[in-house]
Structures are given as structure tokens and as C-alpha cells.
Amino acid sequence: MERYFEDYQKRRLTERVDIMTAIDILKSQGYDHDELIAELTKVFFVDLDTYNEIVLVDRDSGERAA
């Protein structure tokens, strides 16, 4: 996802479904969990509270499955 935008060009990523879709796309492209937020914020203004809620739920469900 080697794209860099000026701040005025960035779209807002605030809806849960949109953030989850972006995460799924990055994961399908091979990005590691630790790289997700860095890649997302290169392209979007991300609602960090919503992002953290999604990541927390994802990590909790991953730990339970293990």
C-alpha cells in the first residue's frame, strides 16, 4: 500500500464496517497485525477509538480460538 497522501487529500475512515473492510484487505495482502494502523493512516484519517475496539475484539477472539 505504498501510497502517501497529503492530509487534505485523506478520506475519513470512521465507520466500523469500513475499518473492518480495510483491515481485511490489508491482511489479505499479507500485512502483519502490527503494520495495519501504520498503513491505514497513510491513506485515511482513522477513528482510533473504533479501530482499537475492533482490534481488541479480534485479538480476544483469536486468543480464545487458540
Side-chain angles (χ1 to χ4, degrees):
M1 209 173 179
E2 291 292 320
R3 292 181 251 169
Y4 296 94
F5 292 91
E6 295 295 328
D7 283 345
Y8 70 89
Q9 295 175 309
K10 291 183 180 180
R11 289 184 32 214
R12 295 188 185 279
L13 200 59
T14 57
E15 297 297 322
R16 268 183 102 72
V17 67
D18 295 333
I19 295 171
M20 291 170 64
T21 301
I23 289 171
D24 289 341
I25 290 169
L26 289 175
K27 284 184 176 180
S28 74
Q29 293 178 356
Y31 284 92
D32 191 29
H33 184 78
D34 296 331
E35 300 171 304
L36 294 176
I37 193 64
E39 292 301 315
L40 288 173
T41 56
K42 289 177 185 174
V43 181
F44 300 103
F45 285 116
V46 181
D47 181 334
L48 295 178
D49 291 330
T50 305
Y51 174 83
N52 287 328
E53 288 173 10
I54 292 168
V55 169
L56 181 62
V57 168
D58 187 41
R59 283 190 177 177
D60 286 345
S61 64
E63 289 175 3
R64 289 184 191 138

